[in-house]
Amino acid sequence: MRELPQGPTPPRNGDAIETDFLLSRRAVLSGAGALALLGVAGCSTSGGGDLPALQLDDTVTGSVPIRPSISVDKNITSPDVMYASLTDHGFNVPEVPYLKVKPEFRRQIVVDTTGEAPGTIVVHLKERMLYLVQPGGDAIRYGVGIGKDGFRWSGRANIQYGREWPTWTPPPEMIQRKPELVKWQGGQPGGLTNPLGARALYIYQDGKDTGYRIHGSPEWWSIGQAMSSGCVRLINQDIIDLYSRVSKKNPVVVM
């Protein structure tokens, strides 16, 4: 904690009393102004300090809204921790060179602007972002890769169920386009090279499988790109995090 301004130094002679008093008064006023600016910026001090917490509300002053505070989450930390290598169900998931991933596509907490209920998964195709709406006005945001033109789906649905290290079965039309995939027509077992990655969430609409998934991908460099066959893909470390937060029945909005 920074030190508070000290009181005026006792004068050495009578002539210095007025000068020292003015300097001290300016220091106090300057310090008060700095504290006021920090309060407006949402800064706070840590630990059991002597300064009381500043109580800000969300009212609008003039035309500038006061931004609500951002919550803290133990799994939203520095990228070198979030994207480090890990062992999951016997698979060694490699680290992600996060410096090659644009900062906006890394996992982070943001102010929720979706207007959806907590627990809703919102995929914003244009932004290449996925939002998991949180209580209290926050959302956890992940960068995603989306489908190529002509392969995208949008609408309201829900997560019917999820799978860890899922089996991937290419649909017949994909095998027609890529005959080399015929070897997986009975299903490719889960693993590090499986296109569905470490987790998959299966999107259903009105009780019917849409064929679209929210899933992981070993191709971290595809995040932010439109190159999938329609599914929404995340970095493997991010889909593991997202999967741990959903109930497998969450509403989904793809827009």
Side-chain angles (χ1 to χ4, degrees):
M1 179 181 292
R2 63 180 180 275
E3 295 182 356
L4 295 175
Q6 301 300 310
T9 303
R12 289 190 296 268
N13 55 62
D15 295 338
I17 292 177
E18 183 177 355
T19 301
D20 285 352
F21 172 77
L22 291 174
L23 290 175
S24 299
R25 183 171 181 271
R26 289 171 182 169
V28 170
L29 291 174
S30 176
L35 288 175
L37 288 174
L38 287 174
V40 172
C43 297
S44 63
T45 58
S46 59
D50 297 329
L51 292 178
L54 297 178
Q55 301 297 320
L56 299 180
D57 60 25
D58 297 337
T59 57
V60 175
T61 302
S63 60
V64 182
I66 297 177
R67 179 174 179 167
S69 60
I70 298 295
S71 64
V72 176
D73 188 291
K74 65 179 181 179
N75 289 329
I76 313 293
T77 179
S78 59
D80 60 318
V81 174
M82 293 190 295
Y83 298 113
S85 62
L86 59 93
T87 300
D88 182 81
H89 293 275
F91 295 104
N92 296 317
V93 181
E95 67 177 331
V96 174
Y98 64 87
L99 291 176
K100 296 181 179 181
V101 178
K102 291 182 178 180
E104 60 266 30
F105 293 136
R106 301 173 195 163
R107 188 191 324 162
Q108 56 194 280
I109 299 176
V110 298
V111 173
D112 174 49
T113 59
T114 69
E116 299 291 338
T120 304
I121 296 171
V122 180
V123 179
H124 199 297
L125 296 173
K126 185 176 181 180
E127 292 181 357
R128 314 289 206 263
M129 300 289 188
L130 182 151
Y131 299 83
L132 177 60
V133 181
Q134 302 292 290
D138 295 342
I140 300 175
R141 191 179 75 187
Y142 310 82
V144 300
I146 65 170
K148 296 176 288 187
D149 289 342
F151 289 88
R152 298 172 194 159
W153 174 87
S154 61
R156 287 184 174 267
N158 68 280
I159 299 299
Q160 187 72 10
Y161 61 92
R163 292 286 183 268
E164 300 181 3
W165 295 101
T167 297
W168 176 64
T169 304
E173 56 271 21
M174 182 178 289
I175 294 177
Q176 289 179 356
R177 296 195 306 270
K178 299 180 178 180
E180 67 273 16
L181 297 178
V182 68
K183 63 181 178 179
W184 300 125
Q185 63 182 354
Q188 180 181 356
L192 294 174
T193 60
N194 188 298
L196 294 182
R199 305 285 190 275
L201 298 168
Y202 295 76
I203 301 176
Y204 276 56
Q205 187 178 54
D206 299 325
K208 297 180 181 180
D209 188 355
T210 64
Y212 293 94
R213 319 286 184 237
I214 298 172
H215 64 82
S217 174
E219 299 175 338
W220 55 264
W221 57 87
S222 67
I223 301 305
Q225 306 297 318
M227 56 187 299
S228 77
S229 294
C231 293
V232 176
R233 59 172 65 177
L234 289 79
I235 294 173
N236 269 331
Q237 283 86 337
D238 282 345
I239 192 62
I240 291 173
D241 180 80
L242 175 63
Y243 189 93
S244 71
R245 298 174 185 273
V246 301
S247 66
K248 316 304 181 290
K249 295 293 183 181
N250 294 59
V252 177
V253 180
V254 180
M255 54 187 293

